[in-house]
């Protein structure tokens, strides 16, 4: 029951986060921009539309949206939010969550290659490129908090407190979140420019209901990563509904400020950005090892 | 001395079971694979050789006398050499087989030296007697290096891996499956038997060396797998990477035993053994899938494949499952062994001194990086082979493989699913194998029937599978419940408003790996050359673009070494002038020297 509540809450809030980020960004640029509920309208509109599939695509492309959203939902169910640990207690730990999200990404990258378009392959290649560097960064951050907490299980991590390793790891996770949720300076959600797009290039051939499912999955993934940053930084933030929603919104505003103040990086400069995140995660491990 | 007694402890049983489980579906597959491709006589010879090859591996892992082991080991090498040479008309096969046989014999020489050295100290060849034998401390280190090099060559540990990417892709696909899936694991058996069982782990730095080599093997293997354009070479390099993951578990065990953490060491061995069977299952499956592609599309070149998902529906589905498993994605078996390895590194770090904590964390990071790169590699291998449109006429006409081949692959798919769901009982069994190999206790963690309970975390593979399937079903059900059936329209792929797209405008295998070539440029040293032929100043008639990467180990390590050998041989020619008087005087000098020094011995 707790899991159902948690999933419904995350599903309900997830699009709002994107709406808030977009609104704050627009206001910072002195534009009015669409309302914070625009993502919901988009979803409803897309769900009711016809779907177009490329004549060259196969069953894999039609299956992928369901797999991606399914995997993201399963990952969301693992989170120990609001003191809920039903699934986290038996099924798996932080590492499992990261790999379940990778499952969705694997299918999405394949779906990018499926319709025989150069854009999709470009997106898949870049997505897998960044993903392979993100995996060790996230794992090092997890390693650091787990060293303090005594295990990678969510219940152990959720029982942790504030500390230097936690802050450093949360910082590394925050940078990883920017990359995972296709935010500046890694990717740009607002553009369809061939030279820069990554996530948008992979889903370029999708439309209608499939696109809606994929969009919903990315909103949900964003919510998961935000929750993970909060969880790692200070677990009490995610144990109560009010504080959880408030800190999610606060994080959304921070992301909006970061995005507005940064320019898109060249593809291969992103490696340096990820390297920085990796160093931060390594510092977290070192501080955890030294017991700082 | 030389006898046919058997040593059937859990370690031997484990490998016997592994070889049989993988060899049966592979042999089933080979009937369909060979039929029609070769003459009946050649098929007969090939099948007999393959059977004998499997038999020799069974003997290697079960004999009791080290001398018999050596003989069987040699027979195994020779039989696989003939099988690599199966297409003996091809220049490439001969080259691959020659590199293989030469390197294998260097390895065999090291193993033989080690075995005879132990015989020198103990006076017997009985492996069981060696287990309790006391060897002088200094010779242990030497023996460790002998066995590490000897078995390392066969296993394909970097920098001793050179033969593997030549020999594995060149053999017929079912032999590649046996070599990558099983034979290189027999080398791991050698390490377990001779280093863990006979020598015993005493020095901490042994483990340090193994962990270092393992990390190197993981990264080098997967980076080369990412940039190669030949489907079977990609799989061969990925085998090197997986040997690295297995060695990481072994290395962790070799660190934990001297540190006084036998329970952790046992868990590390379990992780390594688990990954070993997992890799045997999915790598054989992938090689069989690649064989099916090669047989029907006539090429292994990723640039010339594509679009096979509609033409080979079963093969592509099986290959996809293998790719998901090898990319360590839940809920399949590759993830479980990777998770165990990560947990072992973490639990080791939890109790280790600060410096070791950071080192183990870095090992975990290397493993995670390898996992990420493997996923990229498998997206590339599957996507470029099976998705989009065919990029050659042959791929356009590809047809599904015959039933025996599909049955062989389907068998391995079932094995993978079994290895995923049965994780908990399997871990229990593997703990017994680890106990018999290294004398470590069986961990007393409360193993629930469905949940792997480690001190810091739990994992329930069946529950994960259930959760994923339930979530997937839920999404489908909810979508259809709320929005009804989907209305689908078939349209052309978006072509930016230009003309009809052709398969040449798809993303290519070389293009897919370009970011990786640049990011790992410090190691791969990519270079390129373009040749343009122009009609006039403005119009280019043809353009040849070539991109190359350096094979660092070959160019900076092996080629200078081989060159040095040839130089020495040339130098020796001066002593061999062909005159009989000179030869007689050589003999005289040697006899005199021997007479002078004979008193010393």
């Amino acid at each position: 029951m707790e899991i159902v509540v948690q999933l419904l809450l995350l599903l309900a809030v997830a699009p709002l986060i994107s709406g808030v980020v977009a609104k704050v960004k627009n206001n910072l640029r002195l534009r009015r921009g669409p309302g914070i509920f625009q993502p919901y309208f988009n979803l409803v509109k897309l769900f009711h539309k016809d779907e177009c599939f490329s004549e060259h695509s196969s069953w894999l492309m039609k299956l992928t949206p369901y797999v991606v959203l399914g995997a993201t939902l399963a990952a969301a169910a693992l989170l120990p939010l609001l003191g809920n640990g039903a699934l986290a207690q038996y099924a798996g730990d932080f590492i499992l969550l990261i790999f379940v999200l990778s499952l969705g990404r694997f299918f999405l990258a394949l779906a990018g290659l499926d319709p025989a378009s150069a854009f999709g392959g470009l997106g898949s290649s870049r997505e897998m490129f960044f993903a392979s560097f993100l995996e060790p960064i996230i794992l090092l951050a997890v390693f650091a908090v787990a060293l303090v907490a005594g295990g990678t299980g969510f219940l152990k991590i959720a029982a942790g407190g504030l500390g230097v390793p936690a802050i450093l790891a949360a910082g590394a996770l925050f940078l990883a979140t920017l990359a995972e949720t296709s935010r500046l300076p890694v990717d740009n959600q607002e553009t369809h420019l061939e030279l820069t797009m990554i996530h948008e290039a992979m889903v370029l051939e999708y439309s209608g209901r499939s696109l809606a499912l994929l969009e919903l999955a990315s909103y949900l993934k964003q919510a998961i990563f935000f929750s993970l940053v909060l969880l790692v930084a200070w677990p009490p933030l995610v144990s109560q509904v009010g504080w959880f929603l408030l800190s999610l919104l606060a994080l959304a505003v921070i992301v909006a400020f970061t995005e507005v103040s940064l320019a898109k990086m060249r593809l291969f400069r992103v490696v340096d950005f990820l390297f920085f995140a990796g160093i931060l995660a390594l510092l977290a491990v070192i501080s955890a090892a030294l017991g700082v | 001395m030389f006898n046919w007694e058997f040593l059937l402890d859990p370690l031997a049983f484990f490998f016997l079971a592994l070889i049989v489980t993988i060899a049966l579906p592979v042999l089933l597959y080979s009937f369909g694979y060979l039929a029609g491709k070769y003459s009946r006589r050649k098929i007969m010879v090939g099948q007999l050789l393959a059977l004998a090859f499997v038999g020799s591996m069974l003997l290697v892992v079960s004999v009791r006398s080290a001398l018999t082991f050596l003989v069987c080991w040699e027979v195994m090498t020779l039989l696989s050499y003939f099988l690599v040479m199966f297409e003996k008309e091809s220049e490439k096969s001969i080259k691959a087989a020659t590199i293989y046989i030469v390197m294998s014999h260097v390895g065999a020489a090291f193993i033989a030296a080690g075995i005879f050295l132990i015989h020198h100290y103990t006076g017997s060849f009985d492996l069981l007697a060696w287990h309790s034998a006391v060897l002088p401390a200094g010779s242990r280190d030497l023996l460790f290096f002998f066995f590490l090099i000897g078995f390392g060559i066969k296993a394909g540990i970097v920098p001793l891996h050179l033969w593997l990417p030549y020999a594995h892709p060149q053999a017929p696909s079912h032999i590649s499956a046996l070599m990558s899936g099983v034979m290189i694991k027999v080398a791991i058996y050698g390490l377990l038997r001779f280093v863990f069982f006979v020598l015993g782990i005493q020095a901490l730095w042994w483990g340090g060396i193994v962990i270092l080599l393992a990390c190197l093997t993981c990264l080098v293997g997967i980076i080369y797998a990412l940039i190669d354009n030949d489907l079977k070479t990609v799989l061969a390099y990925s085998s090197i990477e997986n040997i690295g993951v297995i060695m990481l578990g072994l290395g962790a065990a070799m660190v934990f035993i001297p540190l006084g953490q036998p329970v952790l060491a046992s868990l590390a061995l379990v992780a390594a053994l688990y990954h070993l069977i997992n890799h045997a299952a999915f790598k054989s499956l992938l090689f069989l899938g690649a064989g099916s592609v090669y047989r029907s599309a006539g090429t292994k070149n990723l640039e010339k494949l594509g679009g096979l998902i509609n033409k080979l529906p079963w093969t592509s589905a099986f290959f996809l499952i293998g790719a998901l498993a090898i990319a360590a994605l839940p809920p399949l078996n590759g993830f479980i062994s990777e998770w165990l390895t990560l947990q072992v590194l973490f639990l080791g770090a939890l109790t280790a001194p600060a410096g070791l904590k950071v080192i183990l964390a870095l090992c975990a990071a290397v493993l995670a990086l390898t996992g990420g790169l493997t996923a990229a590699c498998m997206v590339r291998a599957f996507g470029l082979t099976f998705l989009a449109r065919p990029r050659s006429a042959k791929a356009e006409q590809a047809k599904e493989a015959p039933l025996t081949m599909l049955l062989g692959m389907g068998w391995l798919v079932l094995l993978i699913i079994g290895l995923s769901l049965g994780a908990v009982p399997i871990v229990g069994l593997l703990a017994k194998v680890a106990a018999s190999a290294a004398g470590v206790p069986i961990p007393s963690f409360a193993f629930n029937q469905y949940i792997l309970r480690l001190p810091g975390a739990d994992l329930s593979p069946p529950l994960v599978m259930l959760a994923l399937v339930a979530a997937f079903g839920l999404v489908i059900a909810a979508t259809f419940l709320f929005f009804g059936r989907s209305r689908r329209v078939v349209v052309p792929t978006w072509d930016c408003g230009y003309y009809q797209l052709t398969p040449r405008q798809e993303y290519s295998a070389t293009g897919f790996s370009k970011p990786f070539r640049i990011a790992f440029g410090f190691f791969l040293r990519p270079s390129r050359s373009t040749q343009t032929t122009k009609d006039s100043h403005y119009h280019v008639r043809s353009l040849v673009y070539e991109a190359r990467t350096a094979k660092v180990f070959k160019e900076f390590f092996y080629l200078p070494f081989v060159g040095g050998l040839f130089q020495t041989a040339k130098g020796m020619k001066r002593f061999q002038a062909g005159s009989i008087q000179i030869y007689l005087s050589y003999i005289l000098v040697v006899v005199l020297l021997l007479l002078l020094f004979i008193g010393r011995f």
Side-chain angles (χ1 to χ4, degrees), chain B residues 52 55 82 158 165 171 264 278 307 331 335 369 381 407 431 476 564 573 586 595 599:
Chain B
F82 292 135
V158 173
L264 273 181
N278 288 343
F335 167 71
L369 178 61
L407 283 178
I476 292 184
K573 258 165 90 176
Y586 287 160
L595 283 175

Side-chain angles (χ1 to χ4, degrees), chain A residues 135-211:
Chain A
E135 214 138 286
I137 296 168
I138 297 173
L139 194 91
L140 273 180
V142 174
F143 218 89
V145 279
L147 274 179
V148 179
T152 53
F154 273 121
L155 295 189
K156 295 228 169 177
I157 290 175
L162 212 55
V164 178
I167 297 298
L168 287 172
L173 263 185
F174 177 74
L175 296 183
T177 303
L178 291 182
E180 284 276 0
T181 55
S182 9
R183 298 267 170 209
L184 285 169
V186 177
D187 192 0
N188 191 352
Q189 293 185 350
E190 295 168 356
T191 172
H192 274 149
L193 191 68
E194 306 87 325
L195 291 176
T196 61
M197 62 180 171
I198 300 170
H199 180 82
E200 291 296 318
M202 272 196 299
V203 301
L204 196 66
E205 288 292 323
Y206 275 111
S207 55
R209 168 183 305 185
S210 297
L211 185 59

Side-chain angles (χ1 to χ4, degrees), chain B residues 134-159:
Chain B
V134 184
L135 299 169
S139 71
R140 273 172 196 278
D141 294 340
L142 188 66
L143 283 168
F144 166 68
F145 276 113
F146 278 2
F147 290 132
L148 186 64
I149 296 173
F151 292 116
I153 287 180
K154 199 60 146 190
I157 297 172
V158 173

Side-chain angles (χ1 to χ4, degrees), chain B residues 181-193:
Chain B
V182 189
M183 191 186 73
I184 57 175
K185 311 301 180 334
V186 173
I188 300 290
Y189 165 82
L191 278 177
L192 284 170
R193 182 61 87 195

Side-chain angles (χ1 to χ4, degrees), chain A:
Chain A
M1 198 56 222
E2 281 171 325
I3 293 179
V4 178
V5 172
Q6 170 171 329
L7 283 182
L8 287 178
L9 179 75
L10 276 175
L11 273 175
V13 175
L16 186 68
I17 299 176
S18 275
V20 169
V21 173
K23 184 79 184 169
V24 173
K25 271 168 77 178
N26 274 314
N27 285 357
L28 284 173
R29 291 162 176 161
L30 303 178
R31 295 175 192 152
R32 248 177 74 207
I36 54 171
F37 296 106
Q38 188 60 39
Y40 297 95
F41 301 136
N42 288 351
L43 282 178
V44 172
K45 178 188 74 183
L46 284 173
F47 265 120
H48 284 103
K49 283 202 162 198
D50 291 0
E51 288 180 281
C52 296
F53 280 104
S54 157
E55 55 193 339
H56 304 303
S57 66
S58 64
W59 54 266
L60 197 106
M61 188 171 170
K62 297 180 182 84
L63 185 75
T64 294
Y66 301 95
V67 176
V68 174
L69 186 55
T72 319
L73 272 177
L78 275 170
L79 281 172
L81 301 178
L82 319 178
N84 159 35
L87 207 51
Q89 194 171 2
Y90 306 113
D93 59 347
F94 211 133
I95 301 175
L96 174 71
L97 189 147
I98 303 302
F99 278 81
V100 167
L101 288 175
S102 303
L103 175 70
R105 167 163 42 225
F106 191 90
F107 271 90
L108 197 56
L110 284 183
L113 285 165
D114 200 20
S117 144
F119 287 117
L122 178 142
S124 304
S125 162
R126 291 175 178 179
E127 173 84 6
M128 295 316 285
F129 177 57
F130 292 145
S132 43
F133 291 104
L134 279 167
E135 214 138 286
I137 296 168
I138 297 173
L139 194 91
L140 273 180
V142 174
F143 218 89
V145 279
L147 274 179
V148 179
T152 53
F154 273 121
L155 295 189
K156 295 228 169 177
I157 290 175
L162 212 55
V164 178
I167 297 298
L168 287 172
L173 263 185
F174 177 74
L175 296 183
T177 303
L178 291 182
E180 284 276 0
T181 55
S182 9
R183 298 267 170 209
L184 285 169
V186 177
D187 192 0
N188 191 352
Q189 293 185 350
E190 295 168 356
T191 172
H192 274 149
L193 191 68
E194 306 87 325
L195 291 176
T196 61
M197 62 180 171
I198 300 170
H199 180 82
E200 291 296 318
M202 272 196 299
V203 301
L204 196 66
E205 288 292 323
Y206 275 111
S207 55
R209 168 183 305 185
S210 297
L211 185 59
L213 290 169
L214 288 176
E215 297 265 297
L216 188 56
S218 353
Y219 294 143
L220 192 57
K221 184 174 158 191
Q222 175 169 275
I224 292 173
F225 266 97
F226 278 26
S227 317
L228 286 179
V229 172
L230 297 174
L231 172 73
V232 165
W234 196 36
L237 285 178
V238 299
S239 59
Q240 208 202 1
V241 185
W243 279 114
F244 176 54
L245 293 180
L246 211 62
S247 42
L248 272 187
L249 286 183
L251 204 54
V253 174
I254 295 176
V255 166
F257 270 87
T258 328
E259 276 207 283
V260 165
S261 50
L262 286 175
K264 168 87 175 68
M265 277 179 167
R266 252 182 66 216
L267 192 69
F268 294 102
R269 293 299 301 278
V270 174
V271 178
D272 300 345
F273 171 80
L274 295 178
F275 209 76
F276 177 70
I279 296 288
L280 210 55
L282 186 62
L283 281 179
V285 171
I286 292 173
S287 67
L290 295 176
V292 178

